[in-house]
Amino acid sequence: MFIGSFKYSVDSKGRVSIPARFRKYVNPEANDTFFMTRGIVRCIDIYPQDYWREEVLKRIDQLDDFDIEESTFKRMLLELAAEDKLDSQARLLVPRNLLEFAGIEKDVLILGQNKKIELWNPEAYDAHKKESEKPYSEIAKQVMQRTK
Amino acid sequence: MFIGSFKYSVDSKGRVSIPARFRKYVNPEANDTFFMTRGIVRCIDIYPQDYWREEVLKRIDQLDDFDIEESTFKRMLLELAAEDKLDSQARLLVPRNLLEFAGIEKDVLILGQNKKIELWNPEAYDAHKKESEKPYSEIAKQVMQRTK
DNA sequence: TTTGTTGTGGGAAAGAGTGGGAATAAGAAG
DNA sequence: CTTCTTATTCCCACTCTTTCCCACAACAAA
């Protein structure tokens, strides 16, 4: 699983290294291929191929192109989506429009989120934490009760 | 699958390049042949031949010519439909009336929508996004819950 | 110290997007 | 039916971007 946080940098071509710790947890069947897209907040989500297909794609495939609400959502999700394979230096090329969406320039905060990886603008992440009005303990109680 | 967005241009003859990324996902059986028609909103839909036949045509075939509403829909869909094969530069010739329908002139935004490709007037797309009253996170939650 | 790994940077070759001209076909006019 | 004009199709060429590969420095392990 992906856990922990790392402060890396984005080079001039938009490449981001995937931490070595994370690479060890990617299934061989993912074939070093990842899918990225916007998160539901201002960050970038990165999924290993196998997980993307199982969890995300399966659900997207159920949406109907002739339903306006469903196709609108699909459009928003896929507009900023991209597929890429790690290069020989274990980096991913992140599209410009995705970096812009997340407000990432030189510095990037890489977060492990169990099955997926998130990329944040470091300052934006700090701000996001402060904005969250409820304390961790309160959210924890509320959200985790559903999963018991 | 077709994902991501690209800003390309339409040349004076009405030709539009299909992004290289997209070409890799077109089945050989499609034989570089595509079907285009109007979208359910103000954009152009482009389907690889195999998907058009399997998914779209099959549904159109189910419509009843003796039902006024169904035959009206069919008429609107097929009026602007066209078939074309990629030229040696991997471009499609898009009919004038389709470009007019979508309000596309010089610049075009190409969107990957999983199984199909959409062409938009860039400004129209921005406007369309702003019109959408609900934020992404809300639509995401609402739509994706249906697919669980 | 030596060896291997990891994050970062950059250059060269191949590929992709765009524009335009020549050849062919289609249509209008005489 | 022939001729002229217009439109379409096919092919070539240019330029910029992307991709692939090599190299370096910092750090850790042996």
Side-chain angles (χ1 to χ4, degrees):
Chain A
M1 69 186 300
F2 304 127
I3 53 173
S5 65
F6 305 83
K7 257 210 173 166
Y8 279 19
S9 60
V10 186
D11 71 20
S12 59
K13 295 177 181 175
R15 295 177 296 192
V16 177
S17 285
I18 299 301
R21 293 272 173 81
F22 288 0
R23 272 177 258 153
K24 293 180 186 133
Y25 293 104
V26 176
N27 286 326
E29 59 191 300
N31 195 29
D32 286 346
T33 302
F34 294 81
F35 283 81
M36 330 165 220
T37 189
R38 58 176 292 177
I40 56 171
V41 288
R42 203 159 92 91
C43 70
I44 299 171
D45 284 352
I46 301 181
Y47 304 85
Q49 176 175 215
D50 53 334
Y51 182 68
W52 168 273
R53 293 193 190 284
E54 281 302 311
E55 299 297 321
V56 185
L57 193 55
K58 257 189 193 166
R59 296 171 71 177
I60 293 174
D61 278 339
Q62 292 176 44
L63 301 176
D64 184 7
D65 281 341
F66 289 99
D67 179 294
I68 221 173
E69 195 176 37
E70 297 187 3
S71 69
T72 297
F73 168 72
K74 191 157 93 174
R75 198 174 290 121
M76 290 194 290
L77 179 78
L78 296 182
E79 177 191 349
L80 294 177
E83 175 185 355
D84 196 28
K85 194 174 174 177
L86 294 182
D87 69 10
S88 51
Q89 263 65 247
R91 292 172 292 195
L92 286 180
L93 184 66
V94 183
R96 285 278 187 285
N97 53 10
L98 255 183
L99 292 173
E100 271 174 36
F101 166 78
I104 296 170
E105 293 184 349
K106 187 80 193 70
D107 297 325
V108 59
L109 183 71
I110 306 178
L111 290 182
Q113 274 278 68
N114 193 10
K115 301 287 183 61
K116 73 177 180 185
I117 298 165
E118 286 182 353
L119 302 186
W120 286 79
N121 171 320
E123 292 96 47
Y125 183 66
D126 287 340
H128 181 78
K129 276 196 292 190
K130 282 173 192 155
E131 277 168 26
S132 179
E133 64 290 351
K134 297 182 193 170
Y136 182 70
S137 57
E138 195 174 325
I139 302 185
K141 182 182 173 188
Q142 179 186 325
V143 172
M144 292 303 267
Q145 232 157 25
R146 290 214 315 269
T147 65
K148 273 209 275 191
Chain B
M1 67 186 303
F2 304 126
I3 56 174
S5 61
F6 306 85
K7 260 213 171 161
Y8 279 18
S9 59
V10 186
D11 69 20
S12 57
K13 296 174 183 176
R15 295 177 297 190
V16 177
S17 285
I18 300 301
R21 289 277 169 84
F22 288 1
R23 272 177 257 152
K24 294 181 186 134
Y25 295 104
V26 177
N27 287 325
E29 58 190 300
N31 196 30
D32 287 345
T33 302
F34 294 82
F35 283 81
M36 325 166 224
T37 189
R38 58 172 294 176
I40 56 171
V41 287
R42 196 159 164 267
C43 69
I44 300 171
D45 284 353
I46 301 180
Y47 304 86
Q49 175 175 216
D50 54 335
Y51 182 72
W52 167 271
R53 292 190 194 285
E54 281 300 311
E55 300 295 324
V56 184
L57 203 52
K58 264 189 188 163
R59 289 174 74 175
I60 293 174
D61 279 340
Q62 293 176 43
L63 299 176
D64 183 3
D65 281 341
F66 292 96
D67 178 296
I68 243 190
E69 200 169 33
E70 295 188 7
S71 69
T72 299
F73 169 74
K74 190 159 91 175
R75 196 174 296 120
M76 291 195 291
L77 181 81
L78 295 181
E79 178 193 349
L80 293 177
E83 175 185 356
D84 194 30
K85 194 174 175 179
L86 293 182
D87 70 10
S88 52
Q89 262 66 247
R91 291 173 292 197
L92 286 180
L93 185 66
V94 183
R96 284 278 187 284
N97 54 7
L98 258 182
L99 291 172
E100 273 173 33
F101 166 78
I104 296 169
E105 294 185 348
K106 185 80 192 68
D107 297 325
V108 60
L109 184 72
I110 306 179
L111 287 183
Q113 274 278 72
N114 195 6
K115 300 289 181 59
K116 72 176 181 184
I117 298 166
E118 288 182 351
L119 303 185
W120 285 79
N121 171 320
E123 291 96 47
Y125 183 68
D126 286 340
H128 181 78
K129 276 198 292 190
K130 281 172 190 156
E131 277 169 26
S132 179
E133 64 293 349
K134 297 180 193 168
Y136 178 72
S137 56
E138 197 173 324
I139 302 184
K141 186 180 172 187
Q142 180 184 328
V143 170
M144 292 300 267
Q145 233 157 26
R146 295 181 210 155
T147 65
K148 272 209 272 195

